[in-house]
Amino acid sequence: MAPSLSDVPSSHDHTQPAADDARPVGFSDIPDEAPPKDACGVFGVWAPGEEVAKLTYYGLYALQHRGQEAAGMAVSDGRTVVVYKDLGLVAQVFDEPTLGAMTGHLAIGHNRYSTTGACTWENAQPSYRPAPQGGGIALGHNGNLTNTAQLAAEIGLEQRPRNGEPRATSDSDLITELLARDPDLSLEAAALRVLPKLRGAFSLVFMDEHTLYAARDPHGVRPLVLGRLERGWVVASETAALDIVGASFVREVEPGELIAIDEHGLRSQQYAEPTPKGCLFEYVYLARPDTAIAGRSVQETRVEVGRRLAKEHPVEADLVIPVPESGTPAAVGYAEASGIPYGIGLVKNAYVGRTFIQPSQTIRQLGIRLKLNPLRAAIAGKRLVVVDDSIVRGNTQRALVRMLREAGAAEVHVRISSPPVQWPCFYGIDFATRAELIANGLTVDQVCASIGADSLGYISLEQLTEATTIPGDRLCRACFDGEYPIELPTPDLLGKHMLESIERNVEDAEEAQDVMLPGVGASDALSRP
Ligand code: SF4
């Protein structure tokens, strides 16, 4: 059955896309404040007798940092799959009456940040297709495919006229379409046929009326873990989401594994040979500090990185301060190893990224002050070590150094708990194009001069890797070293708006040749300086 969107009571009309101007204002909307963005958080639960919609809500809440553009969930009571989604944060999309109406024993949920396809209601997830045998298929995806164009060609996207109607343009929607195409196959059999065709990064949760599925790409680029409830099972992007719903950690979903959970229990099948290449940036910034990856707490790893950073880049100083909050664990480690006192020098306005109010031009010019405020009494006259997790464009650090000097800091020494980010990510993280990355083409001294610091030190790739305790050949480190572990297509077949581009070609081939949509192609991103 089709998703019964209209069955769900709500104060909003969720059968219609939300207006663009109702989108929450994030840092990307404030000039100079664009941290790396993750590609989504996924959650799934199979638990008869439990309030699965509320469990999914809290699971998504714990994963909000992984995607803040849209949120959604699908719930089944064994007869019907109901999908509810909208642009916005989890707490903005769902309310008590909505969750109360979504009853069942099986659910999946999704927080979205877009890496393929624009930020539109159609691209919010779970994506949905009616199953050819009846019923429905809903899917949530964290990651980014690298063979989207090939898959689009395979399903004949080029031949499908849009007739002016909005339609999903995400790689995730293509996966759902592929799963729902063969009337002779069960969803499980279709998954075993489709998953080996996908290239790139994907941690998936999907479902029909009866069964919850979880699958991870053979490289395990994005995390996905399995947990146990007293009366059921949970899958989630991070262990922190298991904790919040009271599930105990069982194990990671293995790279190349398909898991099915239903009334017959849990079934596991290895659909491809695993070749692990977990994302190193999850340790640096993306994952929550209270999440564990490969059995080790992310917080512990980040503190260890700080210790190693202090040894690689020591400096005479009076106070170590973090850029809250992602720089905090490494600052703790730096202070511990260096013997320099740790303190708070910056206070974060935690809710600025949560507002619906568009900042006026005057407010925008405040830039970083919207987010961080210096504690003058703590830093005046001090030689500071300022620890941050990464430098992408450099605008944030430049504004930060200036702000600290204006607040009376005697010296500002910047220490970064990741190596220079020099390459874009095609596996689910949106940094910037290569031309926008400040470390692309500039030496460390030049970056230091550009941000106006007294000194600048990045942790080395070797030390960062050692701090994770994972061997380097089992990690993706491409944004730091340019060695992409999963083959990339030609630059014209990469880019966030690639599917819009394909559709545009269908609509008006001539016009499409003249108009390059933002994000189409990645020749800039891939060409070396
Ligand atoms: S390129 Fe960087 S951010 Fe992307 S998967 Fe690899 S390590 Fe992670």
Side-chain angles (χ1 to χ4, degrees):
M1 286 180 68
S4 327
L5 296 170
S6 55
D7 293 343
V8 181
S10 166
S11 53
H12 313 293
D13 177 4
H14 286 270
T15 60
Q16 295 298 321
D20 265 0
D21 59 3
R23 213 158 47 85
V25 176
F27 290 132
S28 57
D29 301 295
I30 301 169
D32 301 344
E33 300 293 326
K37 290 170 179 165
D38 207 331
C40 305
V42 295
F43 186 87
V45 55
W46 188 91
E50 300 285 354
E51 292 182 291
V52 292
K54 287 191 177 170
L55 288 173
T56 303
Y57 174 86
Y58 283 110
L60 291 180
Y61 209 84
L63 298 170
Q64 186 72 83
H65 61 291
R66 299 186 71 87
Q68 296 164 16
E69 289 184 358
M73 72 172 75
V75 175
S76 169
D77 58 3
R79 297 185 304 276
T80 309
V81 175
V82 174
V83 177
Y84 189 91
K85 63 183 186 178
D86 206 346
L87 302 185
L89 301 167
V90 178
Q92 293 162 340
V93 170
F94 295 100
D95 55 20
E96 189 83 40
T98 308
L99 294 171
M102 298 184 81
T103 54
H105 66 284
L106 161 63
I108 62 169
H110 188 267
N111 288 328
R112 180 165 197 255
Y113 174 73
S114 50
T115 48
T116 296
C119 175
T120 63
W121 184 87
E122 289 75 22
N123 282 338
Q125 296 184 33
S127 62
Y128 178 87
R129 285 288 184 287
Q133 309 88 344
I137 299 169
L139 175 139
H141 170 207
N142 174 206
N144 198 49
L145 300 186
T146 53
N147 64 336
T148 306
Q150 185 192 327
L151 295 170
E154 190 177 317
I155 66 171
L157 183 65
E158 293 93 331
Q159 278 81 51
R160 287 163 45 194
R162 285 178 72 169
N163 300 326
E165 288 176 17
R167 198 168 68 210
T169 51
S170 69
D171 52 352
S172 320
D173 193 66
L174 278 184
I175 302 172
T176 318
E177 170 98 12
L178 285 167
L179 289 173
R181 283 177 80 79
D182 197 329
D184 299 326
L185 294 181
S186 66
L187 180 54
E188 196 160 334
L192 289 170
R193 183 172 288 189
V194 169
L195 293 172
K197 294 182 184 177
L198 309 181
R199 298 285 175 274
F202 54 91
S203 283
L204 302 175
V205 290
F206 53 105
M207 62 183 276
D208 56 18
E209 281 72 14
H210 308 288
T211 308
L212 169 67
Y213 296 92
R216 206 167 167 209
D217 68 74
H219 312 284
V221 176
R222 299 275 145 247
L224 193 62
V225 294
L226 176 69
R228 193 79 166 103
L229 289 166
E230 206 173 310
R231 292 192 284 181
W233 297 90
V234 175
V235 287
S237 293
E238 297 188 26
T239 61
L242 302 184
D243 298 337
I244 204 169
V245 299
S248 53
F249 172 76
V250 175
R251 64 175 176 85
E252 300 198 356
V253 177
E254 295 297 327
E257 183 184 19
L258 169 67
I259 285 177
I261 299 166
D262 57 22
E263 60 188 359
H264 306 298
L266 182 146
R267 300 182 294 284
S268 163
Q269 299 176 75
Q270 200 67 36
Y271 71 85
E273 195 66 32
T275 50
K277 298 285 180 188
C279 169
L280 182 55
F281 215 76
E282 292 278 350
Y283 294 90
V284 170
Y285 171 81
L286 303 173
R288 283 173 57 136
D290 52 343
T291 276
I293 304 177
R296 187 156 193 257
S297 118
V298 169
Q299 168 82 3
E300 203 180 323
T301 299
R302 289 178 184 163
V303 172
E304 176 59 20
V305 172
R307 291 189 197 107
R308 290 167 185 255
L309 185 57
K311 289 186 185 127
E312 280 200 313
H313 297 287
V315 64
E316 292 277 323
D318 307 309
L319 187 67
V320 178
I321 65 168
V323 177
E325 279 138 13
S326 51
T328 303
V332 168
Y334 194 101
E336 189 187 305
S338 65
I340 302 169
Y342 171 89
I344 303 297
L346 293 161
V347 175
K348 184 176 179 181
N349 178 4
Y351 298 100
V352 70
R354 306 279 186 268
T355 176
F356 270 104
I357 309 301
Q358 287 281 359
S360 67
Q361 191 54 32
T362 314
I363 300 283
R364 279 169 182 266
Q365 282 164 359
L366 290 172
I368 196 167
R369 285 177 191 275
L370 279 174
K371 184 187 171 194
L372 294 171
N373 209 16
L375 282 172
R376 285 177 176 74
I379 63 180
K382 302 256 173 63
R383 298 169 298 169
L384 301 178
V385 178
V386 183
V387 182
D388 205 349
D389 61 276
S390 57
I391 300 182
V392 178
R393 293 176 178 83
N395 296 324
T396 301
Q397 285 74 19
R398 191 175 302 115
L400 187 63
V401 170
R402 195 184 316 127
M403 187 171 74
L404 290 169
R405 289 198 196 284
E406 284 169 7
E411 295 174 15
V412 181
H413 302 275
V414 175
R415 295 294 179 269
I416 303 296
S417 62
S418 65
V421 175
Q422 299 190 63
W423 297 89
C425 175
F426 298 103
Y427 310 139
I429 308 301
D430 192 11
F431 287 120
T433 63
R434 186 136 205 253
E436 292 170 307
L437 297 170
I438 192 171
N440 165 32
L442 291 188
T443 63
V444 174
D445 285 346
Q446 287 170 325
V447 175
C448 181
S450 170
I451 65 173
D454 291 290
S455 74
L456 169 65
Y458 295 89
I459 187 93
S460 66
L461 187 53
E462 292 69 31
Q463 289 297 314
L464 172 62
T465 303
E466 278 185 27
T468 67
T469 71
I470 306 290
D473 62 1
R474 293 171 70 92
L475 291 169
C476 173
R477 312 187 295 183
C479 47
F480 304 120
D481 65 8
E483 302 290 326
Y484 290 93
I486 308 171
E487 194 185 350
L488 298 175
T490 53
D492 57 311
L493 296 180
L494 286 166
K496 179 171 174 176
H497 296 280
M498 190 248 302
L499 286 180
E500 281 97 335
S501 175
I502 289 174
E503 294 214 339
R504 199 176 173 85
N505 272 290
V506 180
E507 300 256 302
D508 188 338
E510 267 183 25
E511 190 189 343
Q513 282 176 2
D514 299 335
V515 179
M516 283 294 275
L517 296 173
V520 168
S523 50
D524 160 67
L526 282 177
S527 54
R528 288 178 186 264

